[in-house]
Amino acid sequence: MSNTPTTLFDKVWDAHVIRKIEDGPDVFFIDRHFIHEVTSPVAFLGLENRGVNVMFPDRTYATADHNTPTVNQHLPVQDPLSANQLKALETNSSKYGISHWGLGNPKNGIVHVVGPENGITLPGMTIVCGDSHTSTHGAFGAIAFGIGTSEVEMVLSSQCIMQPKPKKMRINVNGNLSKGVTPKDVILYIISKLTTAGATGYFVEYAGDVFENMSMEGRMTVCNMSIEMGARGGMIAPDQTTFNYINGREKAPKGEAWDKALAYWKTLKTEEGATFDKEYNFDAADIEPMITYGTNPGMGIGISNHIPLAEEVGGGKSTYEKSLNYMGFHEGEEMKGKKIDYVFIGSCTNGRIEDFRAFASVIKGRKKAENVTAWIVPGSHVVEQQIKDEGILDILTEAGFQLRQPGCSACLAMNDDKIPAGKYAVSTSNRNFEGRQGPGARTLLASPLVAAAAAVTGVVTDPRELLEEAAV
Amino acid sequence: MAYDKFTVLTSSAVPLPIENVDTDQIIPARFLKATKREGFGENLFRDWRYNNDNSPKEDFVLNNPIYSGKILVGGKNFGSGSSREHAAWAIYDYGFRCVVSSFFADIFKGNAINVGILPVQVSPEFLDKIFTAIEADPKTQLEVNLPEQTITILATKEKEKFDINGYKKHNLLNGFDDIDYLQAMKSEINTFAESSVY
Ligand code: SF4
């Protein structure tokens, strides 16, 4: 070993390379693999066609989330195609001896919520899943990223994938966030600066005061959206906050194994003087609550701003116009005051307990706006239970909201939770692509606070105005 | 062996000069409910291609009979968004074997190669030339030569080199895939797994 300072990313990556192929990818070992009903069936079919087995079934965990109803989960799933996919996950899991948390299982929930919740996600691991938001797990100092179905088949059959090593980027955000500014705003701000392709080819490390002071839930929100600027994944060095979160969770190491793990985890940081292929610095004070106005997550602005003019944004004018047309917005308009129809709080980006606490802090003592339909969807059964235990459900009910059952829901609208064509939804999920939340649906991505402010006023509202009122 | 071999492809091309074509446009989530990989071509670009009543949208390029071919030419940052390999399956199932753009999203690029579609990344200038050539003559022929790693507009003889790593190139030329490779190194993987931390 030379003593050039290394990065957190290099440490974890290099420890998992089994073979380097000349002029080709690395053969990369995967510690943990999550599967769900949508991207796994064809991989299992592939195994069957080749006549190969699952190599390490205890390194894979299955949960049903993408295509599940968020009401009446105790009843049979109505859509025959969805039911068939769920059945396939169950059958394949049991056939190969993979843990399966299907509908109704108390451990069930969105894959990127239940992994950390159960202590499966640990620092220094490599984690993949056929879902691009696998980057969420990077919050623990793991290398985690989304893969395609062919790669799911590779991991099932060999516990490896073939990956060229990405370049390294560090994004530093220092200073203090002001009131009403959440982790979601931090990442929407970063993406708006870098654009949707700004980090393509890179793996990101987030560093600086803002992330050090952030909860694990917040760090997950940030790492989750790394893919939205094109990055393969994002990670944050583990620290005491991380260790406290993991300690005592079901699959986390215990006793002597814990001490040993802890000693290892403490080595997982970027050394002084290590270099990155690209580095960005941002000031926390510049960030305000964010909202998107277009059809990709890079099209976000501070909530008190105006929609930029075509010449102010890079890229093609016709693409920009197409996007604003779809949204029914115009250049130069103010976002505040725009009427909205739906609010969605949930997803692997903002479906954790902290997000519902934030939502409740705004709606407490207020009422849901009449013109708003709200879908409030916990990320897992564990989160659902916490919502009940902490009295958040009472606040919701009081304000005229209902709580649904866990799943991906309107994040990708594969189930019945579809925003109707032409309607506006303030959503705490991660993608505002055309039709993402239903054909013709218009998505405004934002934090749980912004979503809450919209839910009680019926229009795009700066949550700081409501928080101030509440503080008086 | 997972797909047909790819060597030299000469074909007309279908132009889609839109930036950031994400995988939700290529194949919307509501069509991801199948448990087989075939048949997704029908719903390729579904919401750009069909109205709500399933009638074709006349102005979308796939509905315009003057354009056809096995090459899809897209704007910058093609394939961003979701990791769904269904997007690559849909493109393949529709009949495309090659996608050309000035920039590809990472996961899509990997998925494309894994299903036997060659992603060809060209300079923004060359991409413009291709769009111009197709505009001038919708039947204009492009030659994508994998052994030479070149793409040529045959009418004008304009040509550009493209990158692909040697390993993936070998796979595409021979119709091999990564799983074949990994199956052959199982004992090495086993040894590695035994000594791994987790
Ligand atoms: S909540 Fe959305 S982004 Fe997250 S795993 Fe589900 S579909 Fe993917």
Side-chain angles (χ1 to χ4, degrees), chain A residues 65-66 110-112 131 133 224 347-348 408 411-412 430 436:
Chain A
D65 57 1
H66 278 62
I110 305 175
V111 52
H112 312 309
D131 181 282
H133 294 95
N224 173 278
S347 89
C348 60
C408 294
C411 174
L412 90 166
N430 42 57
R436 169 78 178 184

Side-chain angles (χ1 to χ4, degrees), chain A residues 18 55, chain B residues 182-194:
Chain A
I18 303 190
M55 193 171 182
Chain B
L182 291 168
Q183 283 301 307
M185 56 180 287
K186 276 204 150 161
S187 68
E188 210 176 317
I189 297 171
N190 249 322
T191 316
F192 187 93
E194 276 162 24

Side-chain angles (χ1 to χ4, degrees), chain A residues 120-139:
Chain A
I120 298 171
T121 303
L122 299 174
M125 274 185 171
T126 51
I127 300 172
V128 294
C129 171
D131 181 282
S132 57
H133 294 95
T134 308
S135 57
T136 312
H137 307 262

Side-chain angles (χ1 to χ4, degrees), chain A residues 19 50 79 85 123 149-150, chain B residues 32-33 48 85 177 188 198:
Chain A
R19 185 189 284 179
R50 288 174 203 257
D79 176 352
Q85 267 192 341
T149 297
S150 296
Chain B
L32 305 184
K33 295 184 181 182
W48 286 352
E85 197 168 296
D177 71 10
E188 210 176 317
Y198 293 113

Side-chain angles (χ1 to χ4, degrees), chain A residues 16 53 63 74 97 120-121 123 177 182 191 197 267 278 291 296 338 357 374 447 458 467:
Chain A
H16 289 86
N53 220 326
T63 182
H74 61 289
I120 298 171
T121 303
L177 294 174
T182 69
I191 300 167
T267 68
K278 224 176 204 171
I291 191 154
N296 74 54
K338 284 200 176 296
R357 287 183 195 139
S447 74
L467 289 170

Side-chain angles (χ1 to χ4, degrees), chain A residues 56-132:
Chain A
F56 297 109
D58 53 349
R59 290 176 181 271
T60 294
Y61 292 85
T63 182
D65 57 1
H66 278 62
N67 196 2
T68 54
T70 53
V71 288
N72 293 327
Q73 289 187 350
H74 61 289
L75 298 176
V77 174
Q78 293 298 314
D79 176 352
L81 291 173
S82 303
N84 188 34
Q85 267 192 341
L86 294 168
K87 185 82 203 145
L89 185 70
E90 186 182 342
T91 319
N92 288 325
S93 299
S94 89
K95 176 171 169 191
Y96 292 102
I98 293 166
S99 306
H100 171 246
W101 301 338
L103 267 194
N105 186 309
K107 288 196 159 83
N108 174 261
I110 305 175
V111 52
H112 312 309
V113 177
V114 300
E117 211 166 60
N118 286 284
I120 298 171
T121 303
L122 299 174
M125 274 185 171
T126 51
I127 300 172
V128 294
C129 171
D131 181 282
S132 57

